[in-house]
Amino acid sequence: MMQSFKAFVLSEQEGTFTPAFQTLTTADLPDGDVTVRVHYSSINYKDMLATQPNNKIIRQYPRIPGIDLAGTVIDSQHPQFKKGDQVIATGYDLGVSHDGGFSEVMRLNGDWLVPLPENLTLEEAMIIGTAGYTAALSVDALEQNGLTHDKGPVLVRGASGGVGTIATMILHTLGYEVIASSDNTDYAATLKKIGASDVIPRISDVTPKALSKTEWQAVVDPVGGPSIEEVLKRIHPSGALALSGNAGGTAFESTVFPFILRGLRLIGIDSVYTPMAYRQHIWQRLATDFKSAHLHTIKQVIAFAELQNGLEAVHQSTHNGRIVIDMQVENPLQND
Ligand SMILES: NC(=O)c1ccc[n+]([C@@H]2O[C@H](COP(=O)([O-])OP(=O)(O)OC[C@H]3O[C@@H](n4cnc5c(N)ncnc54)[C@H](OP(=O)(O)O)[C@@H]3O)[C@@H](O)[C@H]2O)c1
């Protein structure tokens, strides 16, 4: 008998875009060598974009979105995984060109799975999720590019969002002074609680000067857009900016001066195709030296049935921190 479960499916027929919960069976799932009972997923910026009509993220329908998931293996033909293993999946275009985490059960390529590290629960893995993993990649990249405790503060932009909150926590946990840039004044007290020594408004105006007085040794930047030009002018000599996102726009201009007169490094961060060995190394760090005592402070856990409300909150930018989807219902596999 077929096992049935709930999934959130995007369909598009004759120009009509329909997001809806559907009851599926394992026969509806894509090919793959590992089937996972999804316990938690999360809402990332890309999920919000992917679930809008006329989005430029999803090219083929029907599609189950959700760019990350954490759960338990219920069936495996993959040599490295067996029934009962706890796993995390992010990236590899999950929820984009492959069905993703907004389903109580998902089948996928075992080569994409990271074993849940010790000292991390499945819920914590999705409080972190793709956004937090991206924050971790950003901090790790800055460390590889000369971040040290004696060189002054690190700026985190988009600080009330997913990448920003977790970058703030990681940097504080590692002992760095963090300046959080955010226009979300209601969240300033939380940002201070999780590790920001100061909260400043978004940087949006671009001054005409070629260079400005320097303020930060490095920047975690998930905002992007035209304001990067100004941020680059204020980074200490030999500093770096880890650029991961475009919440504030896609294009920016700059002169060459921050690069040729201050030796600045601009580091691109891609969380989707990180090689597996490095991916596992970053998740180990997220479970150990990157793990903040405040991780649960930034979570907002919602039931799977509330998914569309969570997506709307990200769309309207009225959310804070990380929205975690609790996918557990009493008996998702009705015939299991
Ligand atoms: N490179 C990768 O692999 C990768 C992985 C994950 C995410 N990303 C990207 O990183 C970005 C952030 O993701 P997220 O999950 O942190 O999203 P999020 O939770 O929606 O947070 C984005 C934050 O950016 C700030 N912001 C929004 N609109 C802005 C604007 N017009 N100008 C300046 N700041 C603005 C807001 O923070 P404040 O209100 O505090 O200012 C907002 O909370 C997205 O573009 C996402 O696609 C990239």
Side-chain angles (χ1 to χ4, degrees), residues 170-225:
I170 293 172
L171 287 161
H172 176 71
T173 302
L174 294 174
Y176 294 101
E177 181 185 350
V178 183
I179 307 297
S181 166
S182 173
D183 266 7
N184 188 339
T185 47
D186 292 343
Y187 205 59
T190 304
L191 287 170
K192 288 190 174 166
K193 182 178 172 190
I194 66 172
S197 60
D198 196 9
V199 181
I200 63 169
R202 289 181 188 173
I203 294 152
S204 46
D205 295 338
V206 178
T207 60
K209 290 186 199 165
L211 291 169
S212 299
K213 182 169 172 283
T214 66
E215 296 177 59
W216 321 289
Q217 64 161 317
V219 181
V220 174
D221 195 338
V223 169

Side-chain angles (χ1 to χ4, degrees), residues 44-46 49 130-131 134 158-164 181-184 202 222-223 243-248 269-272 314 317 319 321-322:
N44 290 273
Y45 194 83
K46 201 179 209 172
L49 295 176
T130 304
T134 303
S160 71
V163 176
S181 166
S182 173
D183 266 7
N184 188 339
R202 289 181 188 173
V223 169
L243 177 58
S244 60
N246 60 353
I269 303 295
D270 170 33
S271 67
V272 176
V314 176
S317 228
H319 73 299
R322 294 275 301 138

Side-chain angles (χ1 to χ4, degrees), residues 109-270:
N109 184 339
D111 293 345
W112 302 345
L113 295 172
V114 172
L116 183 75
E118 274 181 40
N119 197 35
L120 213 56
T121 65
L122 291 171
E123 187 197 38
E124 287 172 338
M126 284 298 104
I127 299 173
I128 295 165
T130 304
Y133 171 68
T134 303
L137 288 172
S138 304
V139 173
D140 192 77
L142 292 176
E143 285 182 325
Q144 289 176 42
N145 281 274
L147 199 67
T148 58
H149 290 97
D150 57 349
K151 287 199 217 147
V154 181
L155 178 71
V156 174
R157 303 185 74 204
S160 71
V163 176
T165 46
I166 297 197
T168 299
M169 289 193 297
I170 293 172
L171 287 161
H172 176 71
T173 302
L174 294 174
Y176 294 101
E177 181 185 350
V178 183
I179 307 297
S181 166
S182 173
D183 266 7
N184 188 339
T185 47
D186 292 343
Y187 205 59
T190 304
L191 287 170
K192 288 190 174 166
K193 182 178 172 190
I194 66 172
S197 60
D198 196 9
V199 181
I200 63 169
R202 289 181 188 173
I203 294 152
S204 46
D205 295 338
V206 178
T207 60
K209 290 186 199 165
L211 291 169
S212 299
K213 182 169 172 283
T214 66
E215 296 177 59
W216 321 289
Q217 64 161 317
V219 181
V220 174
D221 195 338
V223 169
S227 54
I228 289 190
E229 182 178 0
E230 182 61 27
V231 175
L232 292 171
K233 295 175 190 175
R234 302 199 212 165
I235 302 175
H236 293 333
S238 302
L241 182 145
L243 177 58
S244 60
N246 60 353
T250 52
F252 68 93
E253 293 183 359
S254 174
T255 68
V256 298
F257 296 120
F259 302 97
I260 65 172
L261 297 181
R262 289 185 175 158
L264 207 75
R265 288 168 212 193
L266 181 54
I267 309 162
I269 303 295
D270 170 33

